[in-house]
Amino acid sequence: MKKRYFKYFFSILAILIAFIMVQKTGLSKLETSSKTLLMANWLNELKKDPFFSDLNENTIQNSTEQYSLTPTHTMLTIPVNIGYKAYLIITTDSSHQEQIVEYGIGNFLPYQKNIITNQEIRQLTPRSFYYLSPIENFWKFDLGKEIVYIEGSTGEWLPDLNEQNIRSIQSTFLTYQDHLTEAYDNKNLSFYPSSDLSWLTISLQNKGIFDLNQIQTLLKNNQKMMFIGNKYNKQVKFAYPIIGYHLWNQNQLYLAIYDDDLDLLRFISLEDLLKFGQIVAWTNR
């Protein structure tokens, strides 16, 4: 009888261990490697920006966590100070070199279920998550009688998306060898686009009105600026306030998009943004 008991005991124990391991596949600690050291060097470049100045090399090495968002995209998160984390979205090229698609810092990070505004949806397991670009990314929930789409970067409810007509774009990227030439951020340039919806009537040209140098000059002169675009095959029109920029390698401009509700600063390349809309100077009317 005892042998039979122990046989069943170890079988049950094995099943429990396997179940726990399955539950943890989405999150793991970053293993130390030469690639990790390159990443740490790149993150140290970010310390040229005061928002990232508290990044600690020991924390980078020991406390970076990685989440599998999709089969091709991974999210890395690094504690910066109390309540704040930095994040990177990375993918790999054909030679397995990691490419940085977007990055940022905030109190609430994108692509984490705790930003979903609907409490009931937040508790559910999504059917899938799609990361098509820093602009187009969403959870898909199957509620039985309906399919619900939730924005991955804001947690907001989306309309029923025509998935067959949505195509991923070839995103701009950085590598761990790139250098931050200049950084500028000013939270005083933030505002709520929802407080004045006149931007909804602006006809988008899908090309840049301002060039790289003009954008830098206007922001430094405290000119409020906004990015306005269409996404999901023009099913959704949206706007983000721009509060700064990072200039990489003297010629790659990443604009600082700020979400006041999430206290989240995201850096997205100007080139990627212009695939969806345009930059405008903004004065609340």
Side-chain angles (χ1 to χ4, degrees):
M1 181 70 70
K2 285 187 177 181
K3 289 183 179 179
R4 182 177 299 177
Y5 170 80
F6 282 114
K7 176 182 177 182
Y8 288 127
F9 172 79
F10 285 115
S11 297
I12 294 171
L13 181 61
I15 293 172
L16 286 174
I17 292 173
F19 177 79
I20 292 170
M21 292 303 293
V22 168
Q23 298 303 303
K24 291 187 176 182
T25 53
L27 164 64
S28 61
K29 289 287 185 180
L30 191 66
E31 294 181 4
T32 302
S33 65
S34 58
K35 188 182 295 184
T36 312
L37 297 176
L38 284 173
M39 184 195 73
N41 290 337
W42 185 85
L43 287 167
N44 278 326
E45 289 282 318
L46 290 183
K47 295 175 72 171
K48 297 174 183 177
D49 181 336
F51 276 103
F52 294 87
S53 61
D54 288 337
L55 272 171
N56 180 278
E57 187 167 343
N58 183 62
T59 302
I60 293 170
Q61 296 293 332
N62 299 315
S63 300
T64 297
E65 295 180 336
Q66 57 184 359
Y67 301 78
S68 177
L69 294 182
T70 75
T72 56
H73 291 88
T74 299
M75 180 175 185
L76 305 180
T77 67
I78 309 102
V80 178
N81 50 40
I82 297 176
Y84 271 77
K85 286 187 176 183
Y87 80 92
L88 313 176
I89 303 299
I90 60 173
T91 186
T92 56
D93 61 16
S94 57
S95 63
H96 302 290
Q97 180 182 10
E98 289 186 351
Q99 301 171 336
I100 303 159
V101 182
E102 68 166 284
Y103 60 95
I105 186 171
N107 193 6
F108 292 93
L109 297 184
Y111 321 124
Q112 308 287 288
K113 282 179 63 181
N114 65 344
I115 69 167
I116 296 177
T117 54
N118 185 289
Q119 296 287 339
E120 293 183 9
I121 297 294
R122 185 189 299 179
Q123 306 305 317
L124 302 178
T125 300
R127 177 175 173 180
S128 51
F129 177 79
Y130 297 86
Y131 186 95
L132 306 178
S133 76
I135 300 300
E136 295 181 320
N137 40 75
F138 58 92
W139 285 284
K140 181 178 180 179
F141 290 87
D142 189 345
L143 304 188
K145 295 183 178 179
E146 65 174 327
I147 298 295
V148 171
Y149 298 93
I150 302 293
E151 182 76 37
S153 57
T154 65
E156 297 172 325
W157 199 293
L158 291 169
D160 292 337
L161 299 180
N162 188 343
E163 295 180 57
Q164 287 70 29
N165 292 331
I166 302 173
R167 297 288 182 268
S168 60
I169 68 166
Q170 182 63 46
S171 295
T172 308
F173 60 86
L174 297 168
T175 69
Y176 296 142
Q177 287 75 33
D178 292 322
H179 298 284
L180 184 58
T181 309
E182 184 182 356
Y184 177 80
D185 316 285
N186 181 358
K187 277 191 177 181
N188 291 328
L189 295 178
S190 178
F191 58 94
Y192 283 100
S194 59
S195 64
D196 179 357
L197 296 177
S198 58
W199 54 267
L200 287 169
T201 63
I202 294 177
S203 177
L204 300 180
Q205 302 177 32
N206 281 86
K207 62 180 181 180
I209 295 178
F210 303 109
D211 63 23
L212 182 150
N213 292 324
Q214 288 173 323
I215 292 172
Q216 291 175 265
T217 299
L218 287 169
L219 289 170
K220 286 181 178 178
N221 289 334
N222 296 320
Q223 169 64 58
K224 289 186 176 181
M225 305 193 75
M226 176 190 290
F227 176 77
I228 304 172
N230 285 313
K231 56 186 174 180
Y232 305 121
N233 198 34
K234 298 185 178 181
Q235 287 184 261
V236 176
K237 193 166 185 177
F238 67 100
Y240 292 128
I242 300 167
I243 70 164
Y245 63 85
H246 282 175
L247 183 64
W248 292 88
N249 307 320
Q250 299 183 341
N251 60 5
Q252 288 181 272
L253 192 66
Y254 278 65
L255 295 183
I257 306 301
Y258 186 64
D259 186 321
D260 202 296
D261 290 326
L262 298 177
D263 192 10
L264 170 65
L265 190 60
R266 301 171 64 211
F267 288 86
I268 303 172
S269 77
L270 174 61
E271 185 176 339
D272 281 358
L273 288 170
L274 293 181
K275 293 171 184 174
F276 293 91
Q278 66 188 46
I279 310 295
V280 299
W282 190 250
T283 302
N284 286 40
R285 303 169 190 178

